[in-house]
Amino acid sequence: MTPPRGSGDGSGDRYDALVAVADEVLVGLDFDGTLSPIVEDPSRAVIHPDGPRVLRDLAACVRAVVVITGRPARQVVELGGLDAVADSLAAGSRLVVMGQYGNEHWDSGSREFRSPEPPPGLQAFRDELPALLAAQDAEGAFVEEKGLAVAVHTRRLPDAAAAYARLEAALGEAVERHGLGLEPGRMVLEVRAPGMHKGLAVHAALEEHRAGAVLFAGDDLGDLEAFEAVRGLRDQGLPTLLVCSGSEEQEALAALSDVVVDGPAGVLGLLARFVEDVRSAQEG
């Protein structure tokens, strides 16, 4: 099959290089906007219908499939139906979730969840948040509790972009007082512990699985550190491919990507093609 062509030079060659070393490839995937559509209610952001089948087939031909997400790991396992996917995996296949930007861990072998204690200052921020929202005329913002983080979604507000801009400044001041970090996203601002991000999670996953190549797909600013980490690994000589799940809301990753596809359906279509090409190469 013809390899994908994207926004970056040499994308086809990079794709072909990963096909050739598939058993060494770590596939890192964001969840929201990459495996599941962006919706107003985050609790309803279930995986795309093609997701379970593609993840099962993909895990059978690469070193590991790792979902690296800002969501709690337990939420992603539920919304992705990943327990059922784990039941269907071929022997030796590995499916992992690194939740809360890498702070949490679940894998298809043990089915156990590992999570640290919430960061200092988070409860004090929670207590202050209603007054902060009221001061910015954003009482209707949807507040998502994530255990190790709090996410404030402006998508439901009448002027979501303007409310987002007001809250970004106000929440930035609050998180600094409480020793926390602020993660901007697609009409969402997430307050969490500083010091961990998806770039560090990529390096941790690479070491854990002793992978020699990386494909990473994401859609939002929270994936920026992962993209930068993968580009650094490319500079060190590792075969890599960066895939952007494109949208009208966020274009920051497109210029850094080798391939830009149309949302979760496009990501899963590319991964399904990758599986087919790996199988064809093995049979040939």
Side-chain angles (χ1 to χ4, degrees):
M1 301 182 72
T2 303
R5 302 295 171 181
S7 60
D9 293 338
S11 60
D13 292 340
R14 293 186 182 121
Y15 177 90
D16 292 341
L18 291 191
V19 170
V21 295
D23 60 349
E24 298 181 26
V25 173
L26 174 80
V27 177
L29 302 167
D30 176 40
F31 189 76
D32 290 272
T34 301
L35 291 178
S36 71
I38 298 293
V39 295
E40 287 191 359
D41 184 350
S43 69
R44 297 180 181 275
V46 297
I47 196 169
H48 186 279
D50 293 339
R53 171 185 57 82
V54 173
L55 292 180
R56 179 201 66 206
D57 294 346
L58 183 64
C61 67
V62 299
R63 182 63 56 90
V65 177
V66 183
V67 180
I68 302 176
T69 173
R71 279 187 183 268
R74 196 177 296 274
Q75 276 189 1
V76 169
V77 171
E78 180 180 349
L79 292 170
L82 300 187
D83 265 321
V85 175
D87 289 338
S88 70
L89 291 178
S93 297
R94 285 177 279 188
L95 175 62
V96 176
V97 176
M98 299 180 74
Q100 302 276 268
Y101 297 89
N103 283 306
E104 296 185 336
H105 189 278
W106 173 93
D107 68 82
S108 57
S110 71
R111 313 289 181 98
E112 296 178 354
F113 292 93
R114 302 200 306 267
S115 178
E117 292 297 318
L122 187 60
Q123 186 55 53
F125 172 80
R126 286 191 180 100
D127 294 340
E128 186 180 342
L129 183 56
L132 287 172
L133 295 179
Q136 300 302 321
D137 192 25
E139 298 97 325
F142 176 69
V143 178
E144 180 186 5
E145 290 289 345
K146 303 176 74 171
L148 300 179
V150 177
V152 180
H153 298 259
T154 66
R155 188 178 303 275
R156 298 179 181 180
L157 297 177
D159 190 341
Y164 180 97
R166 295 194 305 272
L167 284 173
E168 186 172 20
L171 296 186
E173 295 175 0
V175 300
E176 187 173 350
R177 289 198 309 273
H178 294 296
L180 301 169
L182 184 65
E183 187 73 49
R186 290 167 64 178
M187 296 299 122
V188 59
L189 293 158
E190 184 164 324
V191 176
R192 59 185 179 89
M196 188 63 181
H197 55 68
K198 291 187 180 183
L200 295 175
V202 166
H203 283 289
L206 193 75
E207 182 176 353
E208 177 185 353
H209 301 287
R210 299 181 181 180
V214 183
L215 183 157
F216 189 88
D219 76 308
D220 202 356
L221 292 174
D223 300 308
L224 184 60
E225 289 95 342
F227 271 52
E228 292 173 344
V230 173
R231 288 171 70 91
L233 292 167
R234 176 180 298 173
D235 292 341
Q236 297 173 25
L238 265 68
T240 65
L241 190 75
L242 286 167
V243 180
C244 174
S245 176
S247 75
E248 294 181 356
E249 288 184 343
Q250 181 56 256
E251 299 179 352
L253 298 182
L256 300 176
S257 302
D258 302 305
V259 182
V260 180
V261 296
D262 187 12
V267 171
L268 291 163
L270 184 145
L271 295 176
R273 179 192 297 188
F274 181 78
V275 170
E276 291 181 12
D277 288 345
V278 170
R279 288 172 174 171
S280 295
Q282 291 171 344
E283 291 170 358

